[in-house]
Amino acid sequence: MWPKINLIGSTRHILTLFKKDLLLEIRQQYTFYGVLLYVASTIFVLYMSMGEPEGAVWKGLFWMMQLFICVNAVAKSFLQEGRGRLLYFYTIAGPRDFILSKLLFNALLMLLMSLVSMALFVLMLGNPMPNPLAFVMISCLGGISLSLVFTFLAAIAARAQQSAALMAILGFPLVIPQLLLLGKISTIAFETVLQGGLMEMNLLLGGLDVLIVALALILFPFLWKD
Amino acid sequence: MIRQSWWKILSVVMLVYTAIAGFLGEVPAKPILNETIRNLYFHVAMWFSMMVLFTVSVYYSIKYLRTNNHVYDIYALEYAKGGIAFGTLGFLTGMIWARWTWGAFWSSDPKQLGAAIALLIYFAYLVLRNSMTDMDKRARIGAVYNIFAFAMLMPTIWIIPRLVESLHPGGMGNPALDTHDIDSRMRLVFWPGAVPGWTLLGVWITTLRIRLQLLAEKRMAQ
């Protein structure tokens, strides 16, 4: 049940799989630019309908945007792999290496997307924050947290041979606690006077991320086998 | 043990006791709460029952993944359905209670949000299962989602209510109830009567459904 963990070997596997995803992305130039266009046009639509909203609305819109960006960016990661190719990966690398490489790649993708959408938000919807630098950090943390949950859900949806729609149904209730936490933590950037307990929430969010990675490592091998 | 009748009789006795002592017994007179404090015997006890049923469902999901025995999948599904039924009842009783103490059925209190999230997650579990036709695949992927969702839900229910303000009894601390609000007379109904009574009733309903499912499988096999 528990295979002996070969640290060097699996690190190499993870890096190779990660590099393969990166290379595919650079060659095809589909996900990144596709999602980029999605981000830009959605923010433009928001700008057309909202103008420059005040802080609370800005924050709410930003996290809702992140949620939809995440679904779109991550959905492809498993759906693009055909049945035969998955079988091939299964023979050359373990399921744990595979899911870790996907988690890594999607976290990086969402990190980039968070930064881009943050920049576009400030450009178009204005900057209501007294402390924007803190919000850069928070949006990176948020992007990574969301990407972890949705990567695992994308794996489930792909195994069920379903579209991204199922992913959203499965994922939205699950990420509400994370979004609530992120909304609370965001006040660091929006207020000059802070209430207590925000550091604890940061830790809680980090703890949730660790929990998700651990669950993915334990559960993905069961998902994988046919 | 499932087919024995002593615990079913015990459940009925406990629930009759809960109903009689719950409506006629003495309760402490609290401002705002007044007589609605009796909802503790129904609403809070139903939540306890839901948690037990969901936990048992996850236990059988883990067991399914370890053994690949199809029977455990039926157990996991039916316990989850039982939990959903009790969760819905707890939700409704809570909303009725909130109408007469907070003034509205829904006031987006963190406790209500947590409850709604829990129900949405388990509805998603049912949708996910129905999206597949292959029985083995359905069982395996369902089990994986069940475990994942349960592990994500627990922090939501137990930690977040402690971080944000709430009007719910127990306030910032315990998510379910404030031990200062109830006295020993109420405890005598709540712990020996309401909690085990509702939980046993949930298990009883679920085992009946499991037996029905197993019989249906048997007929299919013939």
Side-chain angles (χ1 to χ4, degrees):
Chain A
M1 169 99 201
W2 300 106
K4 214 166 62 185
I5 293 166
N6 177 356
L7 208 59
I8 302 168
S10 66
T11 314
R12 220 179 51 222
H13 282 156
I14 293 165
L15 283 180
T16 313
L17 286 169
F18 176 73
K19 241 191 278 174
K20 168 230 128 200
D21 272 339
L22 205 65
L23 207 65
L24 263 182
E25 190 46 58
I26 292 168
R27 295 243 173 98
Q28 284 190 328
Q29 303 197 325
Y30 166 65
T31 315
F32 183 75
Y33 289 103
V35 179
L36 201 63
L37 195 60
Y38 179 82
V39 173
S41 47
T42 315
I43 293 175
F44 192 68
V45 170
L46 276 182
Y47 166 68
M48 298 298 275
S49 55
M50 305 287 297
E52 294 199 353
E54 57 185 290
V57 179
W58 197 99
K59 192 170 71 175
L61 284 175
F62 182 81
W63 288 119
M64 281 323 283
M65 265 304 291
Q66 290 309 93
L67 186 62
F68 282 94
I69 293 169
C70 193
V71 173
N72 280 289
V74 170
K76 202 183 134 265
S77 65
F78 282 90
L79 300 175
Q80 72 173 4
E81 314 279 16
R83 212 182 136 75
R85 221 196 287 177
L86 278 177
L87 209 63
Y88 173 62
F89 291 136
Y90 189 55
T91 53
I92 57 166
R96 292 200 173 90
D97 299 342
F98 186 70
I99 187 78
L100 270 178
S101 79
K102 287 285 184 197
L103 286 172
L104 201 65
F105 180 77
N106 285 330
L108 189 80
L109 187 67
M110 264 316 281
L111 196 69
L112 263 172
M113 285 301 158
S114 300
L115 291 176
V116 169
S117 56
M118 159 112 195
L120 282 173
F121 252 75
V122 170
L123 186 72
M124 289 195 167
L125 301 183
N127 175 20
M129 300 169 283
N131 193 359
L133 218 60
F135 197 71
V136 174
M137 301 297 291
I138 295 165
S139 63
C140 289
L141 184 70
I144 292 172
S145 302
L146 291 177
S147 82
L148 295 180
V149 178
F150 278 104
T151 306
F152 190 71
L153 291 173
I156 291 181
R159 293 307 282 161
Q161 276 152 3
Q162 294 295 322
S163 60
L166 184 72
M167 215 175 107
I169 297 170
L170 296 179
F172 282 8
L174 280 181
V175 291
I176 294 170
Q178 282 186 327
L179 286 177
L180 281 178
L181 272 177
L182 283 168
K184 282 270 169 191
I185 294 171
S186 304
T187 45
I188 292 176
F190 283 85
E191 310 282 340
T192 42
V193 183
L194 292 181
Q195 60 186 64
L198 288 172
M199 262 339 274
E200 289 163 33
M201 288 191 202
N202 267 319
L203 286 179
L204 193 64
L205 197 64
L208 265 178
D209 289 351
V210 173
L211 176 77
I212 294 159
V213 174
L215 280 171
L217 284 179
I218 296 168
L219 292 174
F220 188 69
F222 292 107
L223 209 57
W224 178 298
K225 68 181 173 202
D226 244 339
Chain B
M1 196 241 165
I2 282 178
R3 282 156 196 265
Q4 282 170 2
S5 52
W6 62 268
W7 59 273
K8 293 165 190 165
I9 296 168
L10 189 67
S11 158
V12 173
V13 170
M14 280 168 169
L15 286 176
V16 169
Y17 166 61
T18 305
I20 294 172
F23 283 118
L24 300 179
E26 295 274 318
V27 292
K30 297 267 173 185
I32 303 172
L33 281 177
N34 299 325
E35 292 294 319
T36 67
I37 200 169
R38 295 175 195 277
N39 200 19
L40 177 86
Y41 306 134
F42 305 96
H43 167 69
V44 183
M46 280 166 182
W47 282 126
F48 270 86
S49 171
M50 176 198 78
M51 291 311 303
V52 171
L53 293 174
F54 281 160
T55 312
V56 175
S57 167
V58 168
Y59 169 75
Y60 279 113
S61 277
I62 294 172
K63 234 176 152 171
Y64 173 78
L65 285 182
R66 293 184 77 96
T67 59
N68 270 326
N69 185 346
H70 186 62
V71 174
Y72 292 137
D73 179 52
I74 295 174
Y75 275 63
L77 174 64
E78 293 302 335
Y79 273 105
K81 279 185 182 167
I84 290 173
F86 271 80
T88 313
L89 286 175
F91 200 64
L92 293 177
T93 48
M95 271 167 76
I96 295 167
W97 177 84
R99 170 68 185 82
W100 303 109
T101 47
W102 301 344
F105 286 113
W106 183 267
S107 49
S108 87
D109 191 75
K111 304 287 165 64
Q112 285 183 324
L113 292 179
I117 292 169
L119 286 178
L120 283 176
I121 286 174
Y122 277 91
F123 286 137
Y125 168 68
L126 296 184
V127 169
L128 173 69
R129 289 184 61 98
N130 288 341
S131 74
M132 288 168 278
T133 46
D134 184 296
M135 275 224 305
D136 280 333
K137 198 176 213 176
R138 174 194 282 180
R140 199 172 57 243
I141 295 175
V144 167
Y145 182 75
N146 194 6
I147 297 167
F148 186 71
F150 185 78
M152 294 281 292
L153 182 63
M154 285 304 109
T156 318
I157 290 188
W158 297 102
I159 298 173
I160 289 188
R162 289 183 158 86
L163 290 175
V164 283
E165 303 84 17
S166 167
L167 290 169
H168 196 279
M172 292 286 287
N174 190 302
L177 66 163
D178 189 345
T179 43
H180 299 300
D181 278 350
I182 60 174
D183 63 4
S184 52
R185 288 167 301 183
M186 289 190 74
R187 271 186 212 112
L188 217 55
V189 182
F190 184 65
W191 290 113
V195 172
W198 288 114
T199 307
L200 283 178
L201 183 70
V203 174
W204 184 8
I205 294 170
T206 308
T207 49
L208 281 179
R209 288 193 54 104
I210 290 170
R211 282 165 67 184
L212 188 69
Q213 289 297 320
L214 289 176
L215 274 178
E217 295 258 306
K218 225 182 200 169
R219 280 192 68 176
M220 289 265 281
Q222 270 171 9

